[in-house]
Amino acid sequence: EVQFVESGGGSVQTGGSLRLSCLVSGFSFDDYAVGWFRQAPGKEREPLLCISSRGDVVYYADSVRGRFTGSTYNARNTVYLQMKNLKPEDTAVYHCAAREVNYCGGGFVYWGQGTQVTVSS
């Protein structure tokens, strides 16, 4: 069974930083694609970025490009999302997701429960 432990969310002021972590168990980090998504109240889920084991890093949201960075630590089965210069519009529940293919593109099979990020002005 694939399980996620997401952490690092919280409340910050505009311009602050957070690093989200997503520990994935029951999942192989040999061939993978992992992604970060977010969903704000009343809005649809928004894809942010994807990282694959073959080296793809795809940013889907122009609004976070240059401020958010995704990375993985394969030995720890962990995915990270470093967020800088946070803005109130970044307030959302952030989810990580994974699937056992080594490229980005297409849907994700496994999903984390999400961690809340709140940015105040």
Side-chain angles (χ1 to χ4, degrees):
E1 180 184 3
V2 179
Q3 294 184 324
F4 295 78
V5 178
E6 294 170 318
S7 60
S11 297
V12 296
Q13 293 187 328
T14 297
S17 299
L18 286 172
R19 188 178 78 158
L20 305 184
S21 300
C22 179
L23 171 63
V24 189
S25 61
F27 179 83
S28 172
F29 265 69
D30 292 330
D31 290 309
Y32 66 83
V34 292
W36 284 99
F37 295 74
R38 67 185 180 187
Q39 188 164 20
K43 295 187 177 181
E44 294 187 354
R45 187 170 60 200
E46 177 185 20
L48 299 178
L49 58 87
C50 171
I51 305 170
S52 78
S53 54
R54 71 178 188 184
D56 300 330
V57 180
V58 181
Y59 288 87
Y60 296 116
D62 289 338
S63 61
V64 305
R65 193 184 301 270
R67 300 189 297 122
F68 289 12
T69 303
S71 62
T72 61
Y73 192 152
N74 293 354
R76 294 181 178 176
N77 277 29
T78 302
V79 185
Y80 300 100
L81 181 66
Q82 178 69 52
M83 305 184 294
K84 299 180 179 179
N85 191 22
L86 284 161
K87 305 175 181 180
E89 52 264 40
D90 294 320
T91 296
V93 176
Y94 285 71
H95 299 266
C96 61
R99 62 179 190 162
E100 290 166 322
V101 292
N102 68 345
Y103 59 89
C104 291
F108 286 86
V109 177
Y110 307 108
W111 290 84
Q113 78 286 354
T115 185
Q116 177 70 45
V117 172
T118 302
V119 185
S120 58
S121 57

